Amino acid sequence: MKTFLQVSLVVVLAAARLAMAASAPAVGSKAPEFSAQSTAGPLSLADLRGSWVVLYFYPKSFTPGCTAEAGSLRDGIEGLRNLRATVVGVSTDDLATQREFKEKLSLPFELIADPDQKVVELYGVKGWLGMAKRRTFIIDPEGILRAVIDDVDTRKHAEQVQDLLKQLQPAPTPQGSS
């Protein structure tokens, strides 16, 4: 009987993982369009056309890893802006929590409240207990997904993103060349 229960548990856990593993968009494909409430009001991916978008998903505001990640992006915002990037964070927290998190950490970018998990599902990052998995999507100015960071270093995330943006963006042409 014990073996049957162990096997049953393994099957249930495997099924749960498959159910949560909604397919993430593929690099090179059009990034899924969304419209959601943010700390600045309604925000859609279309609103961000013309700049590189750093769309980062995190599990829960005010937890140690999420606070470190948001702080890294806050502290590295000038370098990201110099690379023509707009940062937007997404979690399944409600809007009041997102506003409080943004204010307490003095975040210079918007946060999306996704309690109904619509954006989380579009990007295939639904995790345990309905929270988002920690993952970052880099979207080019035309709305094409150019990179995904699965292995986020919460304390050095801004550096990770900057390094990737430098690789993805064409080198500037020197003045006077044709």
Side-chain angles (χ1 to χ4, degrees):
M1 185 68 170
K2 186 176 178 183
T3 304
F4 173 74
L5 290 175
Q6 289 172 329
V7 169
S8 297
L9 180 60
V10 168
V11 169
V12 168
L13 289 174
R17 279 186 171 225
L18 284 174
M20 288 188 321
S23 67
V27 170
S29 68
K30 188 163 178 51
E33 292 291 336
F34 64 82
S35 184
Q37 282 300 318
S38 80
T39 48
L43 180 68
S44 71
L45 185 58
D47 296 335
L48 305 173
R49 287 285 184 276
S51 70
W52 287 81
V53 177
V54 176
L55 186 65
Y56 85 98
F57 290 84
Y58 60 98
K60 190 145 188 65
S61 297
F62 297 108
T63 58
C66 297
T67 299
E69 182 179 17
S72 172
L73 292 166
R74 176 200 60 216
D75 296 346
I77 196 68
E78 286 310 312
L80 293 165
R81 286 180 177 157
N82 289 339
L83 292 165
R84 303 181 325 271
T86 300
V87 175
V88 178
V90 183
S91 83
T92 57
D93 290 311
D94 62 32
L95 190 55
T97 301
Q98 294 293 62
R99 285 183 174 145
E100 184 181 354
F101 190 54
K102 177 182 167 75
E103 182 181 330
K104 287 215 173 173
L105 292 178
S106 300
L107 300 178
F109 48 82
E110 304 310 324
L111 301 176
I112 289 176
D114 191 29
D116 58 7
Q117 303 169 17
K118 289 182 179 176
V119 182
V120 163
E121 288 180 9
L122 277 174
Y123 281 82
V125 295
K126 189 172 180 178
W128 290 101
L129 304 175
M131 292 185 283
K133 293 179 187 173
R134 189 179 315 281
R135 190 167 294 151
T136 299
F137 296 84
I138 309 294
I139 303 165
D140 77 12
E142 287 76 44
I144 304 301
L145 178 60
R146 294 298 174 196
V148 179
I149 302 173
D150 288 315
D151 188 19
V152 172
D153 180 337
T154 58
R155 297 197 188 293
K156 296 181 179 181
H157 197 42
E159 290 175 40
Q160 283 180 299
V161 173
Q162 285 180 34
D163 290 346
L164 201 47
L165 283 168
K166 288 174 185 173
Q167 292 172 25
L168 292 168
Q169 293 180 2
T173 356
Q175 296 257 339
S177 356
S178 43

